[in-house]
Structures are given as structure tokens and as C-alpha cells.
Amino acid sequence: MKPGATGHRRAATTLVNFDGIPGPTHNYSGLARGNLAAEKHAQQRSNPRAAARQGLAKMRELAALGYAQAVLPPHERPNLPALRTLGFEGDDAAVLARAAREAPALLAACSSAAAMWVANAATVSPSADTADRRVHFTPANLVSHFHRALEADTTTRVLRAIFADADRFVVHDPLPAAPQFGDEGAANHTRLDAGDGRAGVELFVYGRSAFGGGSVPARFPARQTREASEAVARRHGLDAGRTVFAQQTPAAIDAGVFHNDVIAVGEGPVLFCHEHAFVDTPAVLAAVASGVGPAFRAVTVPAAEVGFEDAVATYLFNSQLLPRPDGRWLLVAPADVRTRPRVAAYLERLVAGGGPIAEVLSFDLRESMANGGGPACLRLRVPLTAAERAAIGPRVWLDDALAADLDAWIGRNYRDRLVPGDLADPALVDESRRALDELTTLLQLPPLYPFQRG
């Protein structure tokens, strides 16, 4: 587990947060077992327009603060090709009507807008860490849930369209779509470094070993396998001495911590985590500290101050850590952290304590939170050098002009209410396609969706 030497200095990188845009079919179907928020709000009315604008508001404010911010487009939903593969025939309206009548759960799965949580889109290793000095992406196969496994193909196309320069980027195929290689993307991966341009330490967190060994949760499934994490590390060409594999605590998974990013977040030399985030938290922290060096700071939250229930209810750890000019860190959290007295009190003590986290900035993300995703779920972290940033051609960098265009686009194309029964409406298909067709032009992307490619 212990990382090795610090390696050679390489070109300086800037962390870019690529946020997903919630799609026009954002709804509460309660599809994800073990995601307590999704289960709690199943079948309730959603507001796709508000979901998209809440995410955009977070992006705009962070960009205004000087942080590098980019966007990723939604997926096409309903996924009519998937429904046809499952035996529903006829034109679009006939497919929707029959699916709604005979298999509403399948219609809901094929209409999921969960791709908005791009922390699950892929695992990313920056060029500072990889053997060939290119940025590597492995799109997640998300095989633990059918509605999410549908995302892998589109995610791969989107990433290849944006990171198209083969001299600087490698977008791999997803891992084999089998339970033994269940891969949930960056939600179970964290990169830490000392900020000195040297290779970082990549921390992969898994819930179970596919071929036995170790304890497993009793109530909810462990989605990520160690074997998947090891495969991603190999294909990215990572230094084995600077790669840490850690098992998530089974009790945390059973409490609703379905991904590691619900119980830990790290950036630069700082890891903010619950004391029971990992099976052997002290050993994990020691391994990371060995690789990062003296700059490493672990902010470990005692269970006596914030228990699993409060952590899951508020998504305290499903936050973003962003560097401030003074060398300390900003914690970007959901507004829900203010609603639980114990969590709010802990944050007050944390900020006042003089440690690495100096400030908490909270956002209203209630539409995402009701489906089980906070600020960290909505973004994919991509560390890039200046040359790598310049190699990205599409109009995905968020500035005032793009933010205004996206806000107007949302207003033109999104409904302000949606219930599961609306998923059978053929008009929703037309609305979604029109929105996505317009968006690809707006973002200067090539055709991404089956309806665009014929």
C-alpha cells in the first residue's frame, strides 16, 4: 500500500471541474438501491428546469470566483434504442405506450437522467501520473444498476468528442460489463498531491473483492470491485508505488454510503473524510501521507461528532474542495449541511479551528439532492496543463456568455414539473431531442446522439 518516491517535476496543472447538465427527463423514479435519498423521494414530482438551473448557478458562482469550470452535456432520454432491444416495437409513441403499460420500471430506467452525476462518468488520471504523459480516461461501466449501465456508450462518445487530441488524451473503452469489474468512476477515486508539479497519489476505493476476501455489507450491495480499480490503474499506466487501494467500510455502505464520495473528499494535499470511511482508515492515511509528503493534511471527522446518518442526510462529504489564494481551502457543500444542528456546529468548529479548511460555501441543489447527488456528484475533476486545455476545441468552458446561453436554452427547452407518468409522453421525446440538438450546436460538439447520427 505504501507509495514510493516523489518522481520528476512535470508541467503545472490546473484542476478543471467539468459539471454535468441535468437532462430534460430529470425525474424521481427511485431506481438506485442503497441510495436513501432516491428511495425516499421515489414517484414524487420533479422540476427539470430548476435542476438544470441549480447546477448552472453553482457553476457560474465558482467560475466567477476564478475556478476553471467546464460543462458536459446530458444524455438522450428516454433511451428508445434500449427499449427496442428489450422487445418493444413500433414507432416512438408505440414503444413508449407499450413499455408504460407492460413494464413501467423499464421505462423509468430508460428515462433516467442520472448521467447528470458525472462523478460517475469516468476515472481520470492526469498526465503528471501516467507513463505515457497523456491524460487517461476510463468511462465507468456502472453495471450495478441497469439504468446507469446504459450511460457508458454515450459517455465514451462525449469524452472522445471533447478530449479528441490523441497526442494528449486517451479515452479508453469501459471495462467489461460484468459484476466482477463493477466500476463506478471517479466517485470512488481521489487524486492527491503536494502541488509541486510532481506525480500525485491516486487513491482507489472499492467495496468488495470480486473473487472473495474481506468483509462485505449485509444490507446494500457494494458497487465497486477491487479488480475494476486495479484494471483502471493498469490501463492508465500508473506507478504501482504511488497507487493506494482501500476498502470502504461495509457498515458505511449499509448506512447509505453507496459511493466513497459520500463519505470522503480530497484535493491537492487535503483529505476530508469520516473516521470510518475505510476499513483501516489510519493505514490509508499513512499510505497517502507517505506519497504526498509533509504537505499532506487529513481532516478526519469523528463519528461522535458526525455519524453516518447525518453524513448521508446532509451529504457533508459529497462536497468540493477548492484552493484559496491564501493557501487554505474552500469547502463547497450542499445547503443541507446547515439544516442539521450537529453538522452545522461541526462546520463552525472546523472553520474556526485554523486547519486547512477555512470557509464553507453552500448551494441550493435540492433537485439533485432529492435524487441522491450533491456538489461532488455533479462534477468530474480533470487536472490539465495549459497545453492540454488549449487542445480542447469545443465550446465547453463556462464564461458569462456561455452561462447566459445555457440559461436561455434551459428556459426554452425544460419543463418545470415532471412525474413518472409523464415519461410515456411522446412529446417529451421530441422536446428532449430538440434540446440536445440545439445544445450540441451551442457547445460546438459533433453529433453525439443516435437520433443525430441516423
Side-chain angles (χ1 to χ4, degrees):
M1 181 183 282
K2 182 178 180 180
T6 57
H8 300 292
R9 293 182 188 275
R10 301 176 185 177
T13 61
T14 298
L15 174 67
V16 181
N17 287 301
F18 281 80
D19 276 44
I21 303 172
T25 63
H26 168 74
N27 73 94
Y28 301 139
S29 293
L31 298 170
R33 184 166 174 248
N35 183 329
L36 301 186
E39 293 177 356
K40 177 181 177 181
H41 294 95
Q43 307 303 307
Q44 293 184 15
R45 184 178 70 184
S46 66
N47 186 330
R49 187 184 302 164
R53 282 183 164 154
Q54 287 167 9
L56 180 59
K58 177 178 78 79
M59 288 188 263
R60 292 179 92 157
E61 185 160 348
L62 294 183
L65 291 172
Y67 297 107
Q69 182 68 62
V71 300
L72 293 173
H75 291 202
E76 181 190 356
R77 293 294 182 269
N79 189 325
L80 288 164
L83 288 171
R84 289 191 169 95
T85 298
L86 296 171
F88 299 99
E89 300 176 346
D91 61 18
D92 293 349
V95 168
L96 292 172
R98 185 177 176 190
R101 183 174 63 253
E102 298 180 8
L106 287 180
L107 176 58
C110 291
S111 302
S112 167
M116 62 192 266
W117 297 311
V118 294
N120 297 115
T123 303
V124 184
S125 295
S127 54
D129 296 355
T130 63
D132 65 3
R133 306 297 192 265
R134 294 186 291 175
V135 184
H136 283 247
F137 301 78
T138 292
N141 60 31
L142 299 170
V143 295
S144 66
H145 287 86
F146 170 65
H147 71 286
R148 301 226 61 182
L150 294 172
E151 298 169 19
D153 287 346
T154 298
T155 296
T156 304
R157 285 197 301 274
V158 168
L159 293 176
R160 285 176 176 164
I162 295 173
F163 302 99
D165 186 342
D167 291 332
R168 300 187 184 279
F169 307 114
V170 183
V171 180
H172 298 272
D173 290 332
L175 295 177
Q180 292 86 348
F181 295 99
D183 177 22
E184 300 284 308
N188 290 318
H189 171 263
T190 300
R191 179 185 185 270
L192 300 112
D193 68 2
D196 58 2
R198 298 180 188 271
V201 173
E202 300 207 18
L203 171 63
F204 292 83
V205 181
Y206 62 93
R208 63 186 175 91
S209 175
F211 301 105
S215 54
V216 296
R219 182 184 180 196
F220 295 128
R223 302 186 188 184
Q224 182 87 22
T225 68
R226 181 181 179 115
E227 290 76 7
S229 297
E230 291 172 339
V232 171
R234 283 193 297 270
R235 58 164 47 176
H236 288 196
L238 302 182
D239 181 345
R242 303 190 60 74
T243 307
V244 177
F245 298 96
Q247 185 177 1
Q248 193 175 356
T249 305
I253 296 174
D254 280 338
V257 182
F258 52 95
H259 290 137
N260 179 64
D261 67 1
V262 180
I263 204 69
V265 59
E267 200 62 64
V270 180
L271 181 63
F272 178 52
C273 67
H274 193 275
E275 71 168 321
H276 298 313
F278 313 107
V279 167
D280 189 345
T281 299
V284 173
L285 299 182
V288 174
S290 176
V292 174
F296 178 65
R297 296 290 181 270
V299 181
T300 307
V301 182
E305 296 192 56
V306 178
F308 285 148
E309 181 182 353
D310 280 337
V312 172
T314 63
Y315 273 29
L316 167 63
F317 298 97
N318 195 250
S319 298
Q320 297 174 246
L321 275 173
L322 297 172
R324 300 191 341 160
D326 64 0
R328 297 179 72 195
W329 292 78
L330 168 68
L331 186 74
V332 178
D336 304 63
V337 297
R338 311 289 189 186
T339 65
R340 291 238 173 174
R342 288 171 63 86
V343 174
Y346 170 77
L347 288 174
E348 288 182 9
R349 293 193 297 274
L350 177 70
V351 169
I357 298 175
E359 180 184 359
V360 177
L361 177 62
S362 59
F363 287 93
D364 174 8
L365 297 169
R366 69 186 69 182
E367 285 292 324
S368 178
M369 289 287 290
N371 239 351
C377 286
L378 287 164
R379 61 92 174 94
L380 180 68
R381 292 171 290 185
V382 186
L384 297 172
T385 65
E388 290 159 356
R389 290 184 63 174
I392 295 174
R395 188 192 178 206
V396 295
W397 301 104
L398 193 80
D399 54 19
D400 289 343
L402 179 56
D405 286 347
L406 288 173
D407 186 69
W409 169 79
I410 293 164
R412 286 192 301 272
N413 293 290
Y414 279 59
R415 299 184 181 189
D416 62 4
R417 69 181 305 278
L418 199 70
V419 295
D422 294 332
L423 300 176
D425 181 3
L428 186 60
V429 176
D430 295 335
E431 293 166 17
S432 297
R433 287 176 175 169
R434 183 170 60 250
L436 295 177
D437 202 37
E438 185 180 339
L439 182 64
T440 51
T441 300
L442 187 68
L443 299 181
Q444 299 173 9
L445 288 165
L448 297 172
Y449 309 103
F451 76 88
Q452 293 178 314
R453 301 185 302 154

